[in-house]
């Protein structure tokens, strides 16, 4: 497994290209913008995308999907249905509609080449936020950051739920690598020791 990070879009969202070089297939996680850069990066490696996985439905994580689907129209795109847009205009700005998106959720497992991607529902930043596990790596979207966690003041955000999600992640066995939706990667053990939000969640804290 080879992981390449591209910071894309207007606020530098981390888009991850997770490649299985034996099969020349890749999983694309959170293509938040600049689809031409993502396509070029994939073509440079000789890999084709087997699927797009969205950790949640916010525009800064989904903005490049349309361009990728124009290039690879048969490619499946997965998003938890709790983050499908509502009818209110402000919701459609935050959660822009993506035609053809497939629902996924807790316990689902997908194979892309030799990669196995499993889904954990980790709501709090949004109702439909998920964490994706591939081997000893967690792609946490905007649930867990290095030293912080996602904000909960957007529609669908919930402080109690993100604490429960952080607790769940913190209780996973082993020192897994954490790849967040923004900023630098970390490790789960480092976050258990130093992240005040994760430490509060593990201690049973009720608020942030």
């Amino acid at each position: 497994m080879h992981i390449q990070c591209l910071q894309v879009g207007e606020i530098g969202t981390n888009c991850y290209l997770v490649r299985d070089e034996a099969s020349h297939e890749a999983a694309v996680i959170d293509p938040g913008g600049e689809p031409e850069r993502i396509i070029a990066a994939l073509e440079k490696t000789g890999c084709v995308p087997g699927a797009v996985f969205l950790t949640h439905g916010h525009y800064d994580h989904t903005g490049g999907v349309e361009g990728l689907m124009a290039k690879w129209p048969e490619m499946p795109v997965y998003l938890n249905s709790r983050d499908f847009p509502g009818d209110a205009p402000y919701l459609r700005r935050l959660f822009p509609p993506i035609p053809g998106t497939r629902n996924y959720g807790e316990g689902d497992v997908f194979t892309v080449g030799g990669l196995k991607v499993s889904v954990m529902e980790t709501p709090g930043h949004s109702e439909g936020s998920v964490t994706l596990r591939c081997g000893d790596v967690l792609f946490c979207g905007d649930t867990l950051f290095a030293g912080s966690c996602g904000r909960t003041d957007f529609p669908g955000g919930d402080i109690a739920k993100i604490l429960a999600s952080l607790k769940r992640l913190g209780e996973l066995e082993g020192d897994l690598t954490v790849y967040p939706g923004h900023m630098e990667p970390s490790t789960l053990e480092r976050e258990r020791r130093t992240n005040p939000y994760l430490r509060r969640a593990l201690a049973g804290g009720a608020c942030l």
Side-chain angles (χ1 to χ4, degrees):
M1 178 173 65
H2 183 277
I3 300 170
Q4 180 180 358
C5 178
L6 302 174
Q7 292 187 327
V8 299
E10 59 189 61
I11 58 175
T13 299
N14 290 336
C15 169
Y16 296 104
L17 310 181
V18 188
R19 306 197 310 265
D20 173 39
E21 297 186 336
S23 66
H24 300 289
E25 286 192 71
V28 181
I29 298 174
D30 287 352
E34 302 178 73
E36 67 286 346
R37 281 187 60 209
I38 299 170
I39 292 169
L42 285 165
E43 290 182 335
K44 185 175 181 180
T45 68
C47 290
V48 296
V52 170
F53 300 105
L54 302 172
T55 62
H56 60 293
H58 289 168
Y59 70 93
D60 60 310
H61 290 252
T62 68
V65 171
E66 185 176 354
L68 296 184
M69 293 180 74
K71 174 72 173 178
W72 294 289
E74 302 303 317
M75 177 183 58
V77 178
Y78 295 97
L79 172 67
N80 186 276
S81 61
R82 293 185 181 88
D83 275 4
F84 287 5
D87 293 330
Y90 76 94
L91 284 177
R92 294 176 74 85
R93 288 193 295 270
L94 184 59
F95 299 97
I98 307 169
T101 302
R102 307 181 190 189
N103 179 41
Y104 72 166
E106 181 67 34
D108 286 339
V109 179
F110 300 88
T111 300
V112 178
L115 306 172
K116 185 174 78 171
V117 180
S118 57
V119 183
M120 300 172 59
E121 293 185 2
T122 49
H125 177 65
S126 70
E127 280 286 342
S129 288
V130 302
T131 292
L132 303 167
R133 180 168 183 173
C134 189
D136 59 358
V137 171
L138 299 173
F139 298 96
C140 297
D142 289 2
T143 298
L144 174 63
F145 297 137
S148 188
C149 70
R151 52 192 291 184
T152 60
D153 57 338
F154 292 128
D158 186 288
I159 291 173
K161 287 182 179 180
I162 204 168
L163 282 170
S165 294
L166 290 171
K167 184 175 188 292
R168 185 181 182 196
L169 293 176
E171 290 178 343
L172 292 173
E173 293 185 3
D175 188 16
L176 307 178
T177 303
V178 174
Y179 284 94
H182 301 275
M183 300 177 292
E184 70 274 10
S186 186
T187 67
L188 201 52
E189 183 56 35
R190 183 187 306 157
E191 296 311 302
R192 292 186 190 108
R193 289 186 288 103
T194 64
N195 186 317
Y197 302 97
L198 183 57
R199 288 172 60 86
R200 180 170 294 186
L202 289 170
C207 61
L208 294 176

